[in-house]
Each structure stands twice: as structure tokens, then as C-alpha cells.
Amino acid sequence: MSINYRNTIENAITNKKIVIETGSYLGEGICKFLYIGFERIVSIEIDKKLFEHCKKRFKRYKSVEMVHDNSVDFLRRNIEQIPNEVLFFLDAHFSGGVTSHADGQEVPLIEELEIILSGFTGDTCSIIIDDADYFSEDKKDFADEDYKWWSGVTESKVLDVLEKHSQFSYENYYAEDKTVYVVKVSRKK
């Protein structure tokens, strides 16, 4: 996380009411969201040990809700109740080591986007895709074995999902060093 996330996030949002993060890992994202001042932070982690670590680390913060679940399943069950002007911070992916994933979902990004755009009932939201530098568009082979499962996850596939949902208009761009991809979503009138 080398870029200035505060500027990237603040440029992507309309308010600081709620952020939904997929993939808590050790809680660095949660720290950034607390620093920015979000009123409510929902962080979803599939790995039991990482979930317990973050739950313990952030137990004194009433604004932080830790959820032990598969991000795809959580979004499917809850997308229609998620409030307007939410920030979705998509960072759920297998990274080797202590991280986990559901079967066949090493990088559930495309499925998360599909669920959000199919079921979100609000008028506006922002989506930040972390680790966009792993989009495999121009990469024939990943030198880093830990990220080989990003093969096939491309900016083109993200754009296909966005264009498929014509009830929304989009402003999308890479932030600073291209490790983060930002999408501002607005329902067409």
C-alpha cells in the first residue's frame, strides 16, 4: 500500500458514512478507514485466524464490524440493504501464506462487482479495487508465484461488467501509481 490512500478514498466518496471492505487481512485497511473518519466500517474476512486477529485488534472501536464470511456470500445476502453512497473497498483475494479463499474463488473480484451492480438499490456508490496492478491484461506470466491466480482478471473484464449494467453511469480511473482502480457509480435518471 504505497500510495496515499487518504487522498484516493476522499476523492472517490461523497460522505464518510459507511465502507464495506472485502478482505481484512491484518487490518491495515481498517486503520486507514478509521483515520479517514468513517462512521461505520464493515470488514469481511474469510480466514478464521485473520478474522480473529482483526476482531481482537479492533474490538475497542464501536464503528468497526468484523464479519467472518466469504465476501461473495455476504454481498449476495446483504446487497439490497446496503445504503446509498457506500464505499465498497474490494480487496478479497488469495495471497498465499496465511490467507484463504473459497473453492474456485482465489480472486472473487468479477463476481463481487457483478453482485454489487446487479443488486445495489441506491443511487450512488464508489468502488475501489485494490491491487489493480495485478490485472493480467499485459502480463503473460506472473513472476511472483503468489499472484498467479490473477491470470484472467483484467481491466477489460471489469469494464465488461460495468458496461453490462446500463442502469448506471460510471467514472472510472486508476489512482496515482496504478495499484488502485476507482469506479464512481451513479444510477441513470
Side-chain angles (χ1 to χ4, degrees):
M1 292 192 173
S2 61
I3 68 166
N4 183 336
Y5 270 83
R6 182 176 185 169
N7 288 342
T8 299
I9 291 169
E10 288 185 343
N11 289 333
I13 61 176
T14 55
N15 68 53
K16 297 177 184 174
K17 289 191 184 298
I18 183 169
V19 57
I20 297 176
E21 174 188 44
T22 64
S24 312
Y25 188 51
L26 297 173
E28 292 91 355
I30 298 167
C31 288
K32 287 171 181 30
F33 304 136
L34 285 167
Y35 180 76
I36 289 168
F38 277 92
E39 293 173 25
R40 183 170 174 219
I41 301 161
V42 178
S43 188
I44 307 149
E45 177 55 55
I46 194 170
D47 183 85
K48 182 72 170 168
K49 288 180 183 173
L50 293 173
F51 164 77
E52 291 295 340
H53 167 82
C54 288
K55 186 175 173 185
K56 181 178 177 182
R57 181 176 180 187
F58 299 105
K59 69 181 176 185
R60 67 185 174 112
Y61 296 96
K62 291 181 178 19
S63 61
V64 177
E65 177 185 346
M66 291 302 306
V67 177
H68 180 235
D69 202 352
N70 175 337
S71 61
V72 168
D73 293 341
F74 175 88
L75 289 170
R76 271 197 196 113
R77 283 192 315 275
N78 295 285
I79 192 64
E80 291 180 359
Q81 290 78 42
I82 293 174
N84 200 32
E85 298 183 339
V86 62
L87 168 63
F88 293 99
F89 192 90
L90 306 182
D91 195 16
H93 58 85
F94 184 57
S95 302
V98 299
T99 64
S100 297
H101 63 86
D103 288 339
Q105 291 182 332
E106 289 86 356
V107 183
L109 172 65
I110 301 300
E111 196 166 358
E112 290 173 340
L113 278 173
E114 190 66 56
I115 293 165
I116 291 167
L117 297 172
S118 296
F120 182 66
T121 58
D123 290 326
T124 62
C125 69
S126 296
I127 302 169
I128 294 181
I129 300 169
D130 198 18
D131 302 308
D133 51 325
Y134 286 106
F135 284 170
S136 63
E137 211 95 51
D138 300 322
K139 299 178 181 173
K140 294 193 182 353
D141 185 33
F142 282 87
D144 185 345
E145 262 307 291
D146 286 343
Y147 290 91
K148 64 183 178 240
W149 39 85
W150 281 84
S151 177
V153 178
T154 65
E155 182 181 9
S156 296
K157 285 187 179 177
V158 168
L159 292 173
D160 287 347
V161 173
L162 295 177
E163 290 167 10
K164 178 178 162 184
H165 295 279
S166 58
Q167 74 274 29
F168 293 111
S169 59
Y170 308 96
E171 175 188 344
N172 50 303
Y173 55 91
Y174 280 98
E176 298 180 28
D177 66 358
K178 288 196 132 193
T179 62
V180 174
Y181 193 75
V182 178
V183 183
K184 293 182 181 182
V185 180
S186 298
R187 187 173 300 279
K188 290 180 182 173
K189 302 287 181 193

